[in-house]
């Protein structure tokens, strides 16, 4: 049984206190996928209309909604963010030995996509405040082989894009945004995903908008679009054929099958139509955690997320940084005992077995990435997390004393 602090008891009042007790038995998962209004109707429609392959009516609807949300030049739905990242490496013609600068503190797909082309990911450390690629360390990692910079907007908080776009221009490097966390977020009023020549999105079930497995490549440089369509369609000009622009389609380039079934696009369309509702709910949970854990965090030497002025964050994840790994593990265990599933996040790529084999760490290493990987915990955050359960997570965290 978790005893909330006196302050939490006062805040919750006696009514919600007894409600917390009754909900104690249920387990609170880290994530639960959300069903919005029209999933089942749209699924039936997608199957009923006789077009279940890719690039059908729902793909067009979902792509249009994404275009409006991100301000992207063009949107190509893909089977995953991983696949969109692979497409970006092919599109930029990465050759063996070419280098791409990326954070060590990210998902391995960003590195894998380039390693598959024989290229070398160069891992750069992140900032201790936003946990984003440290823009001050990029220049020192640039060599004659550097071709691109990959940024990841961690938790959907924009990287220092002014500095980073400036560097990319100065050194003629391509800029790619892995925007898996940042759908609908912005930096100085401009949507994340609109800064790079390309950006990638994920619709994996753990993301804000999901269709189980899915993704998108946002193509902002119009010069890349025609080839992107070919790469996505097995290296053929089939997209042009379907638009009546060529009289037969042929194999003209390398490529793969990167387009999702229209059935999945139907799920995605329904989710995107509910974007505002989903976000309102996620934001409410995020802000409740942020406000109600503030004094506990300060007393216990715990850091809360930092959102710089000018960044609008999308409530993708809520994390805390404990003073060390021992306390982080103890808090995960303490929450688990009360049925609350919390979890750590990325393990630095530069120390991973494949990272050591295929990548290179920038001079100075990535000490911040190593530290935060050990200290970070993510709390449950999903649209159907009811208020009473949010309160239970908060009270359980507040009952933990850092030692
Ligand atoms: C989820 C995620 C991916 C991978 O997405 P998939 O759609 O599962 O391939 C890539 N990068 C980041 C930052 C992610 O969070």
């Amino acid at each position: 049984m978790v005893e909330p602090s006196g302050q939490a008891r006062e805040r919750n009042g006696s009514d919600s206190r007894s409600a917390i007790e009754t909900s104690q038995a249920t387990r609170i998962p880290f994530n639960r996928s959300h069903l919005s209004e029209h999933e089942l109707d749209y699924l039936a429609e997608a199957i009923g209309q006789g077009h279940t392959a890719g690039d059908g009516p729902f793909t067009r609807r979902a792509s249009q909604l994404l275009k409006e949300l991100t301000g992207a030049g063009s949107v190509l739905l893909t089977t995953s963010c991983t696949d969109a990242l692979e497409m970006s490496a092919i599109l930029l013609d990465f050759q063996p030995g070419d280098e791409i600068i990326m954070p060590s503190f990210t998902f391995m797909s960003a590195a894998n996509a380039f390693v598959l082309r024989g290229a070398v990911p160069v891992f750069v450390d992140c900032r201790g405040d936003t946990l984003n690629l440290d823009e001050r360390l990029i220049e020192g990692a640039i060599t004659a082989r550097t071709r691109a910079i990959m940024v990841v907007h961690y938790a959907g908080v924009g990287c220092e894009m002014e500095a980073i776009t400036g560097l990319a221009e100065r050194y003629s490097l391509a800029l790619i945004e892995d925007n898996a966390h940042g759908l609908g977020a912005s930096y100085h009023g401009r949507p994340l995903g609109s800064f790079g020549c390309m950006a990638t999105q994920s619709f994996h079930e753990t993301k804000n908008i999901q269709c189980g497995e899915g993704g998108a490549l946002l193509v902002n440089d119009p010069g890349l679009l025609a080839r992107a369509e070919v790469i996505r369609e097995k290296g053929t000009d089939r997209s042009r054929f379907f638009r009546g622009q060529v009289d037969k389609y042929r194999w003209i380039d390398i490529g793969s099958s990167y387009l999702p079934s229209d059935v999945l696009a139907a799920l995605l369309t329904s989710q995107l139509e509910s974007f505002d509702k989903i976000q309102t709910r996620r934001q409410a949970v995020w802000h409740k955690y942020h406000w109600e854990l503030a004094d506990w965090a300060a007393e216990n030497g715990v850091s809360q997320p930092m959102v710089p002025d000018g960044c609008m964050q999308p409530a993708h994840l809520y994390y805390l940084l404990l003073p060390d790994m021992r306390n982080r593990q103890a808090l995960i265990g303490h929450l688990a005992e009360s049925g609350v599933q919390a979890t750590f996040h990325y393990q630095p790529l530069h120390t991973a077995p494949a990272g050591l084999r295929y990548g290179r760490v920038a001079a100075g290493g990535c000490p911040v990435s190593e530290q935060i990987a050990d200290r970070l915990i993510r709390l449950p955050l999903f649209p159907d997390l009811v208020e009473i359960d949010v309160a239970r997570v908060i009270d359980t965290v507040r009952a933990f004393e850092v030692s």
Side-chain angles (χ1 to χ4, degrees):
M1 188 68 232
V2 173
E3 276 305 320
S5 67
Q7 196 188 353
R9 190 191 293 271
E10 213 176 87
R11 196 179 53 239
N12 288 322
S14 55
D15 286 358
S16 64
R17 178 69 197 143
S18 58
I20 288 167
E21 274 161 8
T22 47
S23 80
Q24 200 79 40
T26 51
R27 193 176 149 274
I28 302 177
F30 174 68
N31 179 59
R32 194 187 298 133
S33 47
H34 168 77
L35 206 58
S36 57
E37 274 160 85
H38 296 297
E39 262 98 343
L40 298 179
D41 306 344
Y42 287 4
L43 265 183
E45 198 180 325
I47 295 165
Q49 75 201 355
H51 187 125
T52 51
D55 282 343
F58 279 111
T59 299
R60 281 191 287 280
R61 278 170 72 171
S63 305
Q64 183 56 35
L65 289 167
L66 276 169
K67 219 176 131 161
E68 288 160 18
L69 194 55
T70 59
S74 306
V75 173
L76 297 176
L77 291 195
T78 59
T79 30
S80 64
C81 181
T82 300
D83 279 345
L85 289 160
E86 283 182 24
M87 283 182 69
S88 77
I90 298 173
L91 261 168
L92 292 175
D93 266 324
F94 263 76
Q95 300 298 316
D98 285 350
E99 294 179 356
I100 177 163
I101 289 169
M102 65 176 66
S104 175
F105 188 68
T106 190
F107 197 64
M108 71 297 295
S109 291
N112 250 331
F114 292 85
V115 170
L116 283 167
R117 317 305 319 155
V120 180
V122 176
F123 300 116
V124 169
D125 212 0
C126 58
R127 297 177 57 108
D129 51 6
T130 57
L131 318 189
N132 279 329
L133 182 64
D134 192 332
E135 73 286 355
R136 298 159 297 194
L137 302 176
I138 294 174
E139 200 160 14
I142 295 174
T143 72
R145 300 302 304 260
T146 309
R147 302 263 331 272
I149 302 169
M150 162 93 63
V151 297
V152 180
H153 305 295
Y154 188 73
V157 173
C159 294
E160 293 299 324
M161 295 313 287
E162 213 171 291
I164 295 171
T165 51
L167 274 170
E169 265 170 47
R170 190 138 27 95
Y171 288 91
S172 302
L173 304 175
L175 177 63
I176 307 162
E177 296 172 83
D178 178 348
N179 196 34
H181 299 183
L183 184 64
S186 62
Y187 170 88
H188 295 190
R190 189 170 152 187
L192 299 186
S194 68
F195 290 88
C197 61
M198 280 177 273
T200 62
Q201 302 291 157
S202 173
F203 307 117
H204 183 260
E205 77 165 17
T206 51
K207 302 306 197 290
N208 286 27
I209 293 294
Q210 59 95 17
C211 62
E213 302 277 356
L217 182 70
L218 312 185
V219 184
N220 296 319
D221 175 351
L224 293 170
L225 182 62
R227 188 153 179 255
E229 287 185 338
V230 169
I231 291 165
R232 180 169 168 270
E233 266 281 21
K234 300 99 181 160
T236 72
D237 51 2
R238 195 170 173 181
S239 301
R240 257 170 279 164
F241 172 72
F242 281 136
R243 286 196 297 263
Q245 292 164 331
V246 287
D247 58 4
K248 55 181 180 299
Y249 73 88
R250 296 167 309 155
W251 181 31
I252 58 173
D253 200 341
I254 61 166
S256 191
S257 185
Y258 289 125
L259 67 171
S261 160
D262 220 48
V263 177
L264 286 180
L267 291 184
L268 188 59
T269 302
S270 173
Q271 292 258 314
L272 286 166
E273 285 175 353
S274 298
F275 182 77
D276 290 343
K277 258 190 201 159
I278 289 171
Q279 288 303 103
T280 301
R281 193 53 215 140
R282 294 189 77 102
Q283 290 287 0
V285 176
W286 195 100
H287 281 95
K288 196 141 175 105
Y289 283 152
H290 204 59
W291 286 113
E292 304 213 345
L293 292 173
D295 59 340
W296 170 86
E299 281 161 25
N300 284 278
V302 172
S303 305
Q304 294 183 291
M306 203 281 270
V307 183
D309 287 344
C311 285
M312 194 281 275
Q313 63 84 27
H316 172 56
L317 55 88
Y318 194 84
Y319 68 84
L320 296 167
L321 289 172
L322 276 288
D324 52 39
M325 190 181 204
R326 186 178 53 81
N327 276 290
R328 192 270 305 270
Q329 292 309 99
L331 179 54
I332 289 178
H334 167 80
L335 286 161
E337 273 169 31
S338 300
V340 177
Q341 189 188 20
T343 182
F344 54 90
H345 208 186
Y346 302 130
Q347 297 308 294
L349 298 179
H350 72 284
T351 58
L356 291 167
R357 194 173 326 139
Y358 299 116
R360 182 164 72 68
V361 66
C366 299
V368 179
S369 304
E370 289 173 30
Q371 260 204 33
I372 58 173
D374 287 348
R375 295 169 48 207
L376 189 143
I377 181 173
R378 291 179 293 161
L379 301 181
L381 175 53
F382 49 90
D384 300 318
L385 188 59
V386 293
E387 262 173 59
I388 188 173
D389 283 345
V390 178
R392 198 175 118 207
V393 175
I394 290 167
D395 288 344
T396 311
V397 171
R398 293 182 63 94
F400 179 81
E401 258 179 60
V402 169
S403 63

